[in-house]
Amino acid sequence: MASEAREGIRNVAIIAHVDHGKTTLVDAMLWQSGIFRDNESVMERVMDSIDLEREKGITIMAKNTAITYRGTRINIVDTPGHADFGGEVERTLKMVDGVLLLVDASEGPLPQTRFVLRKALESNLPPIVLINKIDRPDARPQAVLNEVYDLFIDLDATEDQLDFPVLYCNARRGTCSPSPGGPETTLEPLFEEILRSVPAPRFDPAMPLQLLVTNLDWDDYVGRLAIGRVFNGTLSRGQDVSLCGRDGRVAQIRTTGLYGYQGLKRVEITEAGPGDIVAVAGLENAGIGETLSDRENPQALPPILVDEPTIAVVIGVNSSPAAGREGEHVTSRKIKERLERETLTNVSIRVEPTDSADSFKVSGRGELQLAILVEMMRREGFEMSVGKPEVLSREIGGARHEPMEALVVDCPEVFIGVVTQKVGMRRGRMTKMVNHGTGRVRMDFRLPSRGLIGFRSEFLTDTKGTGIANHLFDGYEPWQGEIAHRGTGALVADRAGRATGNAIEHLQPRGELFISPGDEVYEGMVVGENAREADLDVNITKEKKLTNMRASTADEAIHLVPPRVMSLEQSLEFLAEDELLEVTPVSLRLRKKVLPAVKRK
Ligand SMILES: Nc1nc2c(ncn2[C@@H]2O[C@H](COP(=O)(O)OP(=O)(O)OP(=O)(O)O)[C@@H](O)[C@H]2O)c(=O)[nH]1
Ligand SMILES: [Mg+2]
């Protein structure tokens, strides 16, 4: 039993629904702790340090930082809010003794608020509730606080847990207040509250060293770094230790470096004790969920369990005629190695072999998570082919069950009809509808995860970009029946060559094209979407017939509709069963699995 407290340290995680302001709050906490010089230029959302995070404006990986407030070191872990990265949040919670739960003052609790709060309450972590973005003109802090109480009650919070402290924040300005509309000050009340209501780390002095690896990082000088929290005992630089694997094996290792955090920097330290969050070098083979322990008396901590994956794609070698021209890593061996490396750092991703030695089944928490992995690989120089995302069904009691989602839609009243109709077509049921009286409504649905594939882009079109849709995995239910996917066929190139303006002009009444004149195509490549249900083989390389009669110049001008350019996620959503997405560092091409037209008939 843990029996002593290590004063002088507090470990907190910041959790919330996507975009509610976690990373922005960390900025303000860093500034006010005096980590940066007054005139230092620091980019916004500085913790979102990965290129893709900055491009997409979302946090993908949990990251830690540390500040010192009145002599106490506060380790802060910023977590991603998007549901697909829920695995990051789950394991982050292992490192901390309390959480800051942020809730947008206008949007209120959303599906991921529920997910992260449930995980925090299950782990008995005391929450500090921060109603953020109180500067929003549509802020409704009092109502949102009531919704937060309801959520706590709904999650069976104990009396103690219901007694949470609340602060009202403007993370962008770095201010907070004890009451809505009250006087705003610096974040000092927040720092004080952390000291008061987050307990100091507790440990058992009789136990040997135990450090749980919860994250991995890379340093160009020292190589792989295992990041985790020391639960018991002490660890010094260059110490001989045991690494207890998830499979029960114990390896003997010598650590070569030990680092703590100070603001955004990693700093060398000589020793770490209970409650410290540190990075350790020298553990080339360490994986997430493993325990670093005493050399003589190794004692593993309970392994990290995260929710099961719900969606899978098949990733294989690029077998198109254009393969090998744009990428550096093209072999199945390279792809396999890369995918396996991913599973070491990302516990919610699984990789399994398939019938073919050239492709692998990769499972994860959602389309975005899988799309991000593919995007990272293409930036590293990989070429690959990716199949249509499929949900993972399960046998339960002899019957086929499928994953379900809770879907929360917020949109203007006028779109109630179209949204309920579209969700209905995807076998969704409305469970609740709240009219805020502001012209917008909030609708809760429950539908099969399958029904969400391709939903987002359609939803945005249907609500003219004004709707907000959020979803969260919500258990399994018996197979809900067929769901029609894409109601349209593909326009498929029937020969190799270069697309011509002439051919595009003649084909564009048939559907929407994805390519421009001069683009290279191959037989079996999908060049557009057919307005009709069936696929149509087309000659996209046809030159204009030369006639004896010169038409007037005005007649010659061709009118081309700009092609539809789809992102990686949109392309994955578009894919039909018999199609693949060809991904290279330069291009995304849709294609038929079977390329020759004669073999597809
Ligand atoms: N008006 C206003 N905007 C805010 C406030 N806090 C954050 N924002 C904005 O909200 C957006 C999202 O902020 P982030 O800090 O990236 O949110 P996050 O919770 O880290 O998002 P994920 O990590 O992707 O879940 C940014 O455009 C911020 O500038 C606030 O107090 N007021
Ligand atoms: Mg963030």
Side-chain angles (χ1 to χ4, degrees):
M1 262 312 282
S3 58
E4 269 181 44
R6 176 123 186 260
E7 292 303 336
I9 296 186
R10 295 293 186 276
N11 292 326
V12 287
I14 308 192
I15 58 176
H17 186 79
V18 65
D19 266 0
H20 281 192
K22 298 173 290 295
T23 308
T24 306
L25 181 71
V26 178
D27 279 357
M29 292 174 84
L30 287 169
W31 274 110
Q32 293 184 24
S33 71
I35 288 289
F36 305 128
R37 291 188 317 273
D38 280 348
N39 59 353
E40 193 170 342
S41 82
V42 181
M43 57 192 181
E44 251 177 52
R45 289 182 292 112
V46 63
M47 296 290 281
D48 285 344
S49 50
I50 302 172
D51 285 350
L52 260 179
E53 292 182 320
R54 301 206 69 77
E55 280 168 35
K56 293 188 178 281
I58 57 168
T59 304
I60 296 171
M61 281 167 67
K63 287 177 234 58
N64 45 294
T65 179
I67 59 174
T68 306
Y69 176 75
R70 287 210 288 122
T72 299
R73 159 187 286 279
I74 304 176
N75 290 309
I76 305 166
V77 197
D78 182 28
T79 66
H82 194 287
D84 284 19
F85 310 113
E88 292 280 317
V89 183
E90 282 191 69
R91 63 177 206 251
T92 293
L93 294 180
K94 295 271 174 200
M95 284 199 262
V96 299
D97 303 298
V99 294
L100 308 183
L101 177 73
L102 252 74
V103 185
D104 184 302
S106 156
E107 293 184 0
L110 281 170
Q112 192 66 3
T113 317
R114 186 186 181 91
F115 172 82
V116 294
L117 178 62
R118 186 174 69 222
K119 297 286 172 191
L121 295 179
E122 280 170 5
S123 312
N124 260 319
L125 299 171
I128 298 172
V129 171
L130 305 176
I131 310 281
N132 188 36
K133 307 199 190 182
I134 45 166
D135 59 306
R136 276 182 69 153
D138 53 352
R140 41 184 196 97
Q142 200 57 57
V144 165
L145 179 62
N146 287 336
E147 290 169 22
V148 173
Y149 272 114
D150 290 346
L151 179 62
F152 270 75
I153 291 167
D154 209 33
L155 292 172
D156 293 324
T158 61
E159 288 286 316
D160 269 359
Q161 289 170 330
L162 269 176
D163 212 13
F164 53 82
V166 186
L167 287 167
Y168 298 83
C169 306
N170 178 342
R172 224 193 242 162
R173 276 185 51 198
T175 57
C176 70
S177 168
S179 60
E184 290 180 29
T185 63
T186 61
L187 294 178
E188 197 154 329
L190 172 60
F191 292 129
E192 290 294 333
E193 196 56 61
I194 291 173
L195 298 197
R196 188 161 42 235
S197 57
V198 177
R202 300 198 70 86
F203 66 103
D204 181 347
M207 288 295 283
L209 165 69
Q210 287 184 306
L211 177 150
L212 183 66
V213 179
T214 38
N215 239 329
L216 296 172
D217 202 352
W218 180 264
D219 181 287
D220 286 341
Y221 295 103
V222 298
R224 182 110 170 242
L225 291 168
I227 298 166
R229 166 174 170 161
V230 179
F231 279 82
N232 289 304
T234 54
L235 175 65
S236 341
R237 183 152 38 125
Q239 185 175 332
D240 291 324
V241 293
S242 299
L243 183 66
C244 310
R246 277 189 282 178
D247 53 5
R249 271 187 297 191
V250 178
Q252 310 223 307
I253 289 172
R254 160 167 288 189
T255 65
T256 54
L258 184 63
Y259 307 85
Y261 288 85
Q262 208 173 73
L264 305 175
K265 290 192 273 289
R266 254 195 313 263
V267 287
E268 260 189 275
I269 54 176
T270 50
E271 198 180 77
D276 282 327
I277 294 177
V278 293
V280 188
L283 315 171
E284 289 314 314
N285 297 316
I288 295 212
E290 304 191 336
T291 307
L292 206 63
S293 192
D294 189 65
R295 174 60 74 86
E296 308 303 330
N297 176 22
Q299 306 252 357
L301 287 159
I304 297 180
L305 300 173
V306 300
D307 287 350
E308 293 286 310
T310 55
I311 194 165
V313 292
V314 171
I315 297 183
V317 295
N318 181 9
S319 58
S320 97
R325 291 193 213 154
E326 298 168 345
E328 205 180 316
H329 311 304
V330 295
T331 62
S332 65
R333 187 179 56 88
K334 282 276 184 187
I335 293 174
K336 179 164 185 269
E337 276 173 15
R338 175 63 182 81
L339 292 173
E340 283 173 350
R341 186 147 47 86
E342 186 68 20
T343 62
L344 293 177
T345 57
N346 198 335
V347 272
S348 56
I349 291 239
R350 305 262 165 87
V351 177
E352 295 158 81
T354 64
D355 298 341
S356 150
D358 282 341
S359 47
F360 311 92
K361 181 176 166 187
V362 182
S363 323
R365 286 283 192 88
E367 274 171 79
L368 180 65
Q369 187 190 24
L370 295 173
I372 295 259
L373 172 60
V374 171
E375 183 65 43
M376 293 211 173
M377 287 176 70
R378 83 187 273 228
R379 289 180 186 206
E380 292 163 21
F382 280 88
E383 278 194 24
M384 68 212 116
S385 69
V386 185
K388 175 179 178 333
E390 300 285 357
V391 304
L392 295 166
S393 60
R394 280 187 172 184
E395 286 290 313
I396 303 177
R400 185 181 183 196
H401 282 60
E402 65 173 319
M404 302 291 291
E405 306 279 330
L407 172 72
V408 178
V409 168
D410 189 296
C411 70
E413 271 168 345
V414 288
F415 301 121
I416 295 177
V418 61
V419 172
T420 44
Q421 186 209 345
K422 287 292 174 69
V423 179
M425 279 162 59
R426 293 159 181 273
R427 301 206 176 253
R429 290 190 307 272
M430 194 192 286
T431 52
K432 193 173 156 194
M433 178 153 90
V434 181
N435 198 326
H436 291 311
T438 54
R440 288 182 81 89
V441 287
R442 163 90 62 104
M443 293 181 278
D444 289 24
F445 298 94
R446 194 150 191 271
L447 83 170
S449 304
R450 256 182 318 148
L452 285 176
I453 295 176
F455 173 74
R456 182 166 300 273
S457 43
E458 223 175 89
F459 171 76
L460 283 175
T461 314
D462 289 342
T463 60
K464 307 209 174 4
T466 59
I468 305 168
N470 286 288
H471 63 91
L472 185 67
F473 170 66
D474 188 27
Y476 287 83
E477 261 188 35
W479 190 254
Q480 305 279 299
E482 279 314 307
I483 296 178
H485 172 51
R486 192 173 92 200
T488 56
L491 297 173
V492 187
D494 68 354
R495 71 199 67 193
R498 281 189 186 278
T500 63
N502 174 58
I504 291 177
E505 189 185 24
H506 280 94
L507 285 170
Q508 59 195 18
R510 300 243 178 206
E512 211 179 335
L513 288 147
F514 304 156
I515 57 170
S516 305
D519 284 355
E520 217 175 316
V521 300
Y522 52 79
E523 183 180 3
M525 180 167 148
V526 174
V527 294
E529 178 172 14
N530 190 5
R532 304 245 179 114
E533 203 175 321
D535 288 350
L536 185 66
D537 289 313
V538 297
N539 179 3
I540 193 85
T541 66
K542 203 174 188 167
E543 299 286 353
K544 195 172 172 70
K545 258 206 214 87
L546 294 174
T547 55
N548 294 329
M549 297 269 282
R550 273 264 162 253
S552 76
T553 29
D555 268 348
E556 285 213 16
I558 52 175
H559 300 285
L560 297 186
V561 180
R564 187 203 306 177
V565 179
M566 291 193 284
S567 68
L568 180 62
E569 281 119 286
Q570 287 166 332
S571 304
L572 287 176
E573 293 202 331
F574 180 82
L575 282 180
E577 207 97 28
D578 63 344
E579 293 166 356
L580 292 172
L581 177 66
E582 177 186 355
V583 180
T584 79
V586 188
S587 322
L588 296 173
R589 298 184 197 95
L590 292 155
R591 54 165 282 196
K592 286 289 158 185
K593 275 186 184 160
V594 178
L595 295 177
V598 286
K599 291 202 183 156
R600 263 182 282 125
K601 292 285 133 68

